[in-house]
Amino acid sequence: MSGSVLAALRTEFDRGFSVDLHVHDFHLLSWSRYATVTHHTAERDWLVPPTHALWMPAGVPHSVTVVRGGLGYAVAMTGATRLPEPTGILVTPLVGELIVHLNGDPERTRATAEELLTELLEPVSSTVFTLPAPSDPRLREITRALVADPADGRDLAAWADHTATSVRTLTRTFQTETGMTFAQWRRHARVRAALTLLANGTSVGATARAVGYRKPSAFAEAFRQVTGRSPSEFG
């Protein structure tokens, strides 16, 4: 990725803070060290935890809602980009420190820090933040039900009976339309729901039960598989 940093901003966000639909004429890298923020575009909602940032290209209409308050940073950039769509970015400890460092407006080391930051931006799968939406009507029924009730424990055989189709057909269609297995999609749906519950102050144990895990240890393992972090870090 090439380009230069226009500004680095630091803001303390309150829970419930929101920004209506708007457009930037610059690229924006948004990251919060402690808050959990939802970015809304015409195509998707992006629930961004502190382990990641969101790259929002110039010209993309979006709105913002803070579901858990905390300290946030934004890096405005200009120039060419290899990321023409909103994209999740992994925030390693070094990337996080570079964002904080640039916020301090370090005149002597700014050029080096900017160049290093742009080189280290690593895109990650959008499934960390969003759930692929299938077009098949049988899958839409299943996925909508699971979003509405993440604790729904029906397996694929039960859903096949419910939608009057076969397990084999559902398995193949899930993979084709979402790029994920049924189990993977449900795990991401549950973790996405858990992020919102944890951001709202729900305990880890209560969150685990609310999204369908009887054992907190099983929930913690699923959570780590999706986010790379422990759920206790988000509570």
Side-chain angles (χ1 to χ4, degrees):
M1 185 182 303
S2 60
S4 60
V5 173
L6 295 174
L9 306 174
R10 166 180 161 155
T11 306
E12 187 73 35
F13 291 113
D14 294 326
R15 176 184 170 186
F17 173 81
S18 63
V19 180
D20 292 336
L21 196 68
H22 63 288
V23 176
H24 299 296
D25 58 3
F26 48 81
H27 312 307
L28 193 67
L29 182 68
S30 300
W31 171 58
S32 175
R33 176 162 270 174
Y34 303 110
T36 301
V37 181
T38 301
H39 299 256
H40 313 272
T41 66
E43 291 78 25
R44 291 179 174 179
D45 291 340
W46 301 77
L47 184 65
V48 186
T51 50
H52 294 79
L54 184 65
W55 172 268
M56 186 65 65
V60 177
H62 62 283
S63 58
V64 179
T65 303
V66 177
V67 295
R68 180 188 181 188
L71 184 62
Y73 294 88
V75 180
M77 304 175 70
T78 186
T81 176
R82 57 182 167 83
L83 302 174
E85 303 292 337
T87 303
I89 299 294
L90 178 65
V91 176
T92 63
L94 178 54
V95 168
E97 288 306 316
L98 284 169
I99 292 173
V100 173
H101 181 68
L102 285 171
N103 177 261
D105 197 23
E107 183 175 346
R108 184 174 61 85
T109 60
R110 186 172 191 85
T112 301
E114 289 180 4
E115 182 179 0
L116 183 56
L117 176 63
T118 56
E119 287 295 323
L120 291 175
L121 295 184
E122 179 183 343
V124 295
S125 169
S126 64
T127 55
V128 173
F129 315 101
T130 67
L131 289 168
S135 59
D136 183 280
R138 295 162 299 185
L139 267 59
R140 283 205 307 270
E141 181 179 357
I142 296 169
T143 55
R144 286 171 179 170
L146 291 174
V147 168
D149 180 14
D152 191 321
R154 282 178 282 183
D155 61 14
L156 202 55
W159 283 114
D161 287 341
H162 180 78
T163 57
T165 188
S166 68
V167 170
R168 183 177 180 180
T169 297
L170 286 184
T171 298
R172 184 179 64 251
T173 310
F174 247 104
Q175 188 69 51
T176 300
E177 296 213 359
T178 70
M180 307 168 76
T181 66
F182 168 77
Q184 289 169 335
W185 196 97
R186 182 168 62 182
R187 182 190 308 129
H188 279 74
R190 286 176 167 180
V191 170
R192 192 176 191 278
L195 283 166
T196 300
L197 291 171
L198 293 169
N200 288 330
T202 306
S203 70
V204 171
T207 296
R209 293 189 294 273
V211 299
Y213 292 93
R214 285 180 290 180
K215 296 182 178 180
S217 59
F219 167 62
E221 177 58 27
F223 196 93
R224 276 192 292 268
Q225 288 177 6
V226 174
T227 68
R229 295 288 187 90
S230 165
S232 61
E233 297 181 55
F234 293 80

